[in-house]
């Protein structure tokens, strides 16, 4: 809070007391004038009109009226956190960037986001997640502005506004607020075969992450690393979550929207707040031009990935998020990521999507943050010294001294400060290595022939999934295309594209929609079969650990105190979080007469927010729960969402009423439960819902 000046002597010699002298933090106007009354506006008489003279009122309302800034055109809803990146491997042979010096610790700020929804939308729609990292390196900021999917919908930046218009709420009706299950998205996507690969990812459980902490991140584009000798290599960046991959399933994601709109934001904040710091390893796939030229796809095409089996991911550092923001607006809202922020040692490739981004982000910050001086906002300012001759502009907060605002200058010859100078030895210089593309310089509005295969990698993705994952993909296409209302031509057109990916998938989707199988769409280039890759599956990259997972334990009056204590201890020992749920938040009276407080009230703490549930009831408690819809749903949804259920004998009638059928995931409260709680039981799924 701004403090008014200290005690001062007036010309007449009397002393004025400041608020500080009175031992209070004075509330002042923005210009430092102490405010005596923050409850009442200035009126003419006790019941008269408010006076224009009231500068306290006017300033307060004026500022309030302008508290909001335009939300991001995409990725409006996000959650951010501070952290540190530590380089753990020596890659000086590949890059001279200081951020990669083994042992170097660099401060970072990370913002995760959904793409289509507005800032106030929900956390769990089916949507791509942004994974943007700002490294405040000692050679300037490096912003790796990626997503949780390694490829993108389009190949050329010119199509981005069309993609975004099609996926965001429809222009006339203003809905849906988030998510792609509507006419205009599928109309556009089905007319754009290059979207097919990313659509496979979007329709998979990748777009339903369990937590930001359990998703991968990708730089998407091919970048370059440049070493001290100026030698360039191609590189793809990956973030690998230490907790392994985990996703929810669609019914659960839908129910999470009802249970907690802030599910991911809360999860991230609470994890950091309790010292359970999320971590990712930074991985690189490095390759040279000879490799690039030998692939059946173009490494400059952002709709293509490089299979990890072809170029293994090498881990070179660790990201730890260890501090929540102090203020959401000042930090998470005002952070401005720029893919064009890049330090010496890293460089761009000619990916036409990346090239377009280099302009867009700088431009958008001006309309969002209102000034070209947005880099001076604390969350955006480099941590290393920085300076140049750019001057003035709105919201200029720096007060440069002297006359040096141009370059070259000879002011130093005159004993004045001449200002900073360019430094060829350490400064960023664009690497001139060939990139395998036509760089003849002819002006051509074309798409390279090498970008024309839209289906091989979509097929690769589908065929790399487990059976359960394939069923989820087919079912998502059915769900989304079933939401296409007025444009009857769209679902068939989409299925005709899918016939190029995999005939079985196309048939499943057509059957799920109950439409005839259309003719295969002509492909610009016939797809080829690529070797399936385990890295593309979530299920093959999950970790059977309770770390980062939460177990909801339902109790009632009469619950056995020892049984409860034992299960809480087991979960805690396995590094999980036990959350006690009871009909009343004040808790329940346990068998030993003690009052056990609850972490959540049953009606507001449904099982979809947990990874597994324990049900520990007394006989009377169970009888009461049989008449409690929220208790029946607690169990029924845990079962339907393929989670482990550990229950004591007295809870059996509730399990029966909820339709629980014994399987490996339904256990007693022994250590079998703790093991089961770290998994999902996908084999159960065909018995609880019809999948395409
Ligand atoms: Fe973005 N994107 N994007 N994007 N993007 C924005 O920048 C844009 C693309 C991504 O947490 C905007 O500051 C164009 C790919 C993330 O603040 C905007 C193109 C990838 C974020 C913009 C793309 C991304 C954004 C909106 C095609 C993954 C959120 C506000 C050429 C590699 C960053 C803003 C944050 C945000 C433009 C394509 C990721 C409008 C023109 C590909 C994670 O400038």
């Amino acid at each position: 809070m701004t403090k008014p000046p200290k005690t001062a002597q007036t010309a007449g010699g009397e002393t004025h007391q400041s608020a500080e002298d009175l031992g209070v933090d004075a509330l002042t106007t923005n210009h430092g004038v102490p405010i005596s009354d923050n409850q009442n506006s200035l009126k003419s008489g006790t019941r008269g009109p408010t006076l224009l003279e009231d500068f306290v009122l006017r300033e307060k309302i004026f500022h309030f009226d302008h508290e909001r800034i335009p939300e991001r055109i995409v990725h409006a809803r996000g959650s951010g956190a501070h952290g540190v990146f530590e380089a753990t491997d020596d890659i000086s042979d590949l890059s001279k960037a200081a951020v990669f010096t083994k042992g170097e610790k660099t401060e970072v700020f990370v913002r995760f986001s959904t793409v289509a929804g507005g800032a106030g939308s929900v956390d769990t729609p089916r949507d791509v997640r942004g994974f943007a990292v700002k490294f405040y390196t000692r050679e300037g900021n490096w912003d790796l502005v990626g997503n949780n999917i390694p490829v993108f919908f389009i190949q050329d930046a010119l199509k981005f506004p069309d993609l975004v218009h099609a996926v965001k709420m429809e222009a006339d009706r203003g809905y849906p607020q988030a998510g792609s299950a509507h006419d205009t998205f599928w109309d556009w996507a089905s007319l754009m075969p290059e979207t097919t690969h990313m659509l496979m990812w979007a329709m998979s459980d990748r777009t339903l992450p369990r937590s930001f902490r359990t998703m991968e991140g990708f730089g998407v584009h091919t970048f370059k690393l440049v070493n001290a000798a100026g030698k360039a290599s191609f590189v793809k960046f990956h973030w690998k979550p230490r907790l392994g991959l985990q996703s929810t399933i669609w019914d659960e994601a839908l129910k999470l929207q009802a249970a907690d709109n802030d599910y991911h934001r809360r999860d991230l904040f609470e994890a950091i707040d309790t010292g359970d710091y999320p971590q990712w390893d930074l991985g690189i796939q490095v390759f040279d031009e000879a490799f690039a030229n030998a692939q059946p796809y173009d490494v400059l095409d952002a709709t293509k990935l490089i299979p990890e089996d072809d170029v293994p991911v090498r881990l070179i550092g660790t990201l730890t998020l260890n501090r929540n923001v102090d203020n959401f607006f000042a930090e998470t809202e005002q952070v401005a990521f720029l893919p064009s922020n890049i330090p010496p040692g890293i460089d761009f490739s000619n990916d036409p999507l990346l090239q377009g981004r280099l302009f867009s982000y700088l431009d958008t910050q001006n309309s969002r943050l209102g000034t070209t001086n947005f880099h001076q906002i604390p969350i955006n300012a480099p941590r290393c010294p920085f300076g140049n001759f750019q001057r003035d502009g709105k919201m200029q907060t720096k007060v440069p001294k002297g006359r040096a605002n141009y370059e070259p200058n000879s002011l130093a010859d005159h004993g004045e400060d001449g200002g900073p100078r360019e430094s060829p030895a350490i400064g960023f210089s664009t690497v001139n290595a060939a990139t395998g593309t036509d760089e003849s310089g002819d002006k051509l509005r074309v798409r390279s022939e090498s970008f024309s295969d839209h289906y091989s990698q979509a097929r690769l993705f589908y065929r790399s999934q487990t059976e359960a994952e394939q069923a989820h993909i087919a079912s998502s296409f059915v769900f989304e295309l079933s939401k296409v209302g007025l444009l009857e031509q769209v679902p068939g057109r989409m299925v005709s594209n899918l016939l190029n990916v995999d005939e079985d998938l196309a048939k499943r989707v057509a059957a799920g929609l109950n439409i005839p199988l259309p003719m295969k769409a002509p492909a610009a280039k016939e797809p080829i079969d690529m070797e399936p890759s385990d890295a593309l599956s979530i299920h093959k990259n999950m970790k059977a650990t309770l770390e980062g997972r939460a177990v909801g334990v339902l109790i009632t009056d009469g619950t056995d105190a020892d049984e409860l204590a034992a299960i809480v201890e087991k979960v805690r020992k396995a590094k999980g979080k036990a959350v006690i749920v009871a009909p009343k938040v004040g808790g329940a009276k346990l068998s030993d007469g003690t009052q056990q407080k609850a972490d959540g009230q049953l009606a507001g703490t449904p099982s979809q927010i947990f990874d597994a549930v324990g049900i520990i009831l007394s006989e009377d408690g169970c009888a009461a729960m049989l008449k409690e819809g929220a208790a029946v749903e607690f169990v029924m949804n845990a079962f339907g969402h393929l989670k482990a259920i550990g229950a004591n004998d007295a809870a059996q009638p509730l399990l029966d009423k909820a339709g629980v059928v014994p399987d490996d995931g339904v256990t007693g409260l022994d250590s079998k439960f703790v093991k089961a709680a770290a998994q999902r039981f996908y084999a159960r799924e065909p018995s609880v819902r019809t999948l395409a």
Side-chain angles (χ1 to χ4, degrees), residues 455-464 500-502 527-529:
Y455 298 116
S456 299
Q457 290 210 352
R459 176 181 293 175
L460 163 72
F461 181 77
Y462 185 68
R463 295 192 182 164
S464 301
N500 283 304
V501 177
D502 186 279
I528 55 167
D529 290 334

Side-chain angles (χ1 to χ4, degrees), residues 72-75 111-113 129-132 145-147 149 152 154 156-158 160-161 218-221 302 332 335-337 352-354 356-357 360-362 364-365 368:
R72 290 166 173 82
I73 168 74
V74 279
H75 295 264
R111 184 173 179 272
F112 301 109
S113 48
R129 299 303 190 282
F131 193 132
V145 194
N147 280 339
I149 290 179
F152 203 63
I154 48 172
D156 191 302
L158 193 62
F160 191 65
F218 303 91
V220 176
H221 312 281
T332 309
V335 66
F337 291 95
L353 199 66
L354 174 59
R357 294 180 75 202
S360 176
Y361 290 67
L362 184 63
T364 206
Q365 308 312 344
R368 215 165 64 75

Side-chain angles (χ1 to χ4, degrees), residues 555-562 564-565 588-596:
I555 62 165
T556 52
D557 284 342
T559 284
D560 188 285
D562 294 338
L564 175 61
K589 196 171 221 155
L590 302 182
S591 57
D592 63 0
T594 54
Q595 184 71 16
Q596 172 65 54

Side-chain angles (χ1 to χ4, degrees), residues 14 24 28 65 111 156 180 221 263 270 288 406 420 482 524 579:
E14 327 79 75
V24 291
T28 73
D65 287 348
R111 184 173 179 272
D156 191 302
S180 53
H221 312 281
Y263 184 61
E270 287 182 353
D288 60 15
Y406 59 97
S482 298
V579 180

Side-chain angles (χ1 to χ4, degrees), residues 59-74:
E59 183 200 80
K60 187 171 177 181
I61 300 289
F62 156 75
H63 197 275
F64 170 78
D65 287 348
H66 300 276
E67 274 178 8
R68 291 290 165 272
I69 58 174
E71 65 177 36
R72 290 166 173 82
I73 168 74
V74 279

